[in-house]
Amino acid sequence: MESIFFLVVAAVAVISSILVVTCKNPINSALSLVMTFFCLATFYVMLDAPFMAATQVIVYAGAIMVLIIFVIMLLNVRVETVKRGTHAVIAGSAIGLFILFQTVWFLMKGSMTGKVGDMTKEQIVSVGHVELIGKALFTDFLLPFEVTSVLLLAAIVGAVILAKKKI
Amino acid sequence: MDTLILGLPVAYYIAMVAKVLVAFVFVLLTVAYATYAERKIIGHMQVRLGPMRTGWHGLLQPIADGVKLFFKEEIIPSQASKFAFLIAPLVALIPAFISFAVIPFGDSVTIGGYTVPLQIAAYYDQAGKQVFDVNVGVLYILAMASLGVYGIVLAGWASNSKYSLLGGLRSAAQMISYELAAGLAIISVFMLSESLSLHKIVADQAGGAWYAFKQPLAFVIFFICSLAEINRTPFDLPEAETELVSGFCTEYSSMKYAMFFMAEYANMITVCAVTTTLFLGGWHGPAFLPGWFWFIAKVYFLIFLCMWIRATYPRYRYDQLMRLGWKVFLPLTLVNVVATGLWVMFISK
């Protein structure tokens, strides 16, 4: 049951991510990307990580993609005339094949150690997914968390200064 | 009843299908009659009668409206972006409906020895005597609410019309701004309930300990922000008939227009149901009537409140709307979160 469901969602994910790069209309590309994010969220749910799934949809599909679509709408980019750059296609395929080879190579080379980390499935079920993430974020990873928030604040202030002529 | 399909009893599947059907039919009927109720209530508030001709006191009006819209001519503007134009009404409608998957309509009921929780995405552990539901239920609702903006933005862009585009842009800006304040407002509820599961949040409010009393500021801000997020009056700038000629749905006709209309009302019901669940104690109420009755009564009261607000207030201006969202509600919710944090940390423990 679960594997059939996985295969269906995976097929949708692959097809929609191919559509992202092949669609000629930028809005349709953006919509396909939203669909891909959705499929990723479904995978997170299947991996017992509902919090990740919810944030995936809220942050990526709900906020970032809306901004991208906003920009496309304002620039009024209609159907893009795609130039068939053969050099780019060849270079892109070469890099793609290289990365595929690299991934498969390292996967084949490594071996399963069978070592289990701290976060087992039982622990996630008993303590709770959100609780575990919260605890890790505010104790073990407090410094990176704070640094990220300061970075984001700096970005917001920077955007306001760049956009506003008179402050 | 003891037969297992994929490790689950048959009763589980029957209960699941029944719950989905009942919830869906309930929302659809409420959507249909909310349009009627709105016209009737606003009519009486403005000393008019409202619809009177179709059926007794116009009771068949929603059916007449539906049939009329169904048989209208379907027009797609020649310069429209076809794909986006066709899917936009669906994208608006679906998130509005699927939010109901996590909302608890009532406490568990036992039918023929099998206990069923009245919440679609939940099951009752018959051995452990415990209800399990989506443990990030509130985030799921926020996620679905954030998807609602796509329908309107796409409709505005795909129609290839100035009015529609302006309506779409306004709604995108408005929904993103108010989503933030609404999300921050309910954080203070999580801080008190220590859970994101809607079942647990409702269970915490037993005996009249509603979060609306503990968090009055969060309650008021959440409700107002929700009105803004679903584009209800006084925040219906994306439509703004008088200046934008219905905004994003100017170019839509027939069933597609009806879908936007249904999405608007379904969103209103969703928002009222979420507010009831988070702040008004969900299905808790005096025990002489079943839990689902109290839930529906509270939701209908909030829907009435929405209509009352529509009959009372004029529309906000765009800059006033943005100022209210970013300069009033956002700081207030931040203060509320900090205050709740201090209270939980030093006083309640």
Side-chain angles (χ1 to χ4, degrees), chain A residues 1 25 27-28 31 34 38 50-51 54 57-58 61-62 65-67 69-70 72-74 76-78 130-131, chain B residues 6 79 81 83 87 135-136 139-140 142-144 146-147 149-150 153-154 157 160 165 169 172-173 176 194 196:
Chain A
M1 179 76 175
N25 191 326
I27 291 268
N28 292 354
L31 287 180
V34 174
F38 240 88
F51 182 75
V57 174
I58 293 174
M65 285 315 293
V66 171
L67 281 182
I69 287 186
F70 209 79
I72 299 174
M73 271 168 61
L74 283 179
N76 206 13
V77 198
R78 284 278 160 167
V130 188
E131 286 85 345
Chain B
L6 298 166
Q79 295 297 306
S81 184
F83 179 66
I87 66 162
N135 55 6
V136 291
L139 291 179
Y140 171 83
L142 285 181
M144 290 307 126
S146 69
L147 291 178
V149 66
Y150 278 109
V153 169
L154 278 179
W157 178 82
N160 200 15
L165 186 69
L169 285 179
I176 293 175
E194 295 178 356
L196 294 175

Side-chain angles (χ1 to χ4, degrees), chain B residues 76-306:
Chain B
I76 301 177
S78 58
Q79 295 297 306
S81 184
K82 293 261 158 29
F83 179 66
F85 190 82
L86 291 178
I87 66 162
L90 294 173
V91 177
L93 189 60
I94 292 169
F97 274 102
I98 51 180
S99 305
F100 270 90
V102 294
I103 290 174
F105 282 79
D107 202 1
S108 307
V109 288
T110 308
I111 302 163
Y114 188 81
T115 313
V116 185
L118 292 180
Q119 182 181 8
I120 296 173
Y123 72 96
Y124 186 84
D125 186 2
Q126 310 289 330
K129 305 256 179 268
Q130 206 182 351
V131 174
F132 286 98
D133 70 338
V134 184
N135 55 6
V136 291
V138 185
L139 291 179
Y140 171 83
I141 288 175
L142 285 181
M144 290 307 126
S146 69
L147 291 178
V149 66
Y150 278 109
I152 292 177
V153 169
L154 278 179
W157 178 82
S159 305
N160 200 15
S161 137
K162 284 192 186 67
Y163 293 128
S164 302
L165 186 69
L166 280 175
L169 285 179
R170 276 188 185 182
S171 95
Q174 178 180 332
M175 284 169 128
I176 293 175
S177 322
Y178 276 84
E179 216 172 76
L180 216 59
L184 276 172
I186 49 178
I187 281 182
S188 44
V189 171
F190 307 153
M191 291 166 95
L192 293 181
S193 72
E194 295 178 356
S195 172
L196 294 175
S197 135
L198 287 173
H199 179 81
K200 173 131 193 306
I201 290 176
V202 173
D204 269 6
Q205 300 177 70
W210 295 359
Y211 285 130
F213 301 137
K214 292 182 187 165
Q215 290 288 346
L217 187 66
F219 171 56
V220 172
I221 291 181
F222 178 74
F223 194 62
I224 297 175
C225 289
S226 301
L227 284 183
E229 223 186 309
I230 59 171
N231 304 323
R232 284 283 304 181
T233 337
F235 308 104
D236 59 342
L237 289 150
E239 290 178 51
E241 301 90 352
T242 40
E243 42 178 324
L244 284 184
V245 208
S246 294
F248 62 89
C249 48
T250 305
E251 302 291 338
Y252 280 87
S253 54
S254 184
M255 256 339 254
K256 292 201 190 60
Y257 177 74
M259 276 186 187
F260 278 118
F261 218 74
M262 280 164 73
E264 193 190 317
Y265 280 90
N267 269 324
M268 183 170 82
I269 298 164
T270 311
V271 160
C272 293
V274 173
T275 314
T276 307
T277 310
L278 289 179
F279 292 102
L280 297 183
W283 40 264
H284 288 300
F288 61 87
L289 283 168
W292 54 264
F293 174 84
W294 290 113
F295 177 79
I296 292 174
K298 287 171 190 170
V299 171
Y300 282 0
F301 173 73
L302 285 176
I303 293 175
F304 171 72
L305 202 64
C306 290

Side-chain angles (χ1 to χ4, degrees), chain A residues 20-63:
Chain A
V20 174
V21 285
T22 52
C23 268
K24 284 190 177 156
N25 191 326
I27 291 268
N28 292 354
S29 294
L31 287 180
S32 316
L33 195 55
V34 174
M35 194 65 220
T36 317
F37 286 147
F38 240 88
C39 296
L40 288 183
T42 317
F43 291 145
Y44 284 131
V45 173
M46 291 169 82
L47 291 169
D48 279 322
F51 182 75
M52 292 301 291
T55 35
Q56 168 88 10
V57 174
I58 293 174
V59 174
Y60 284 95

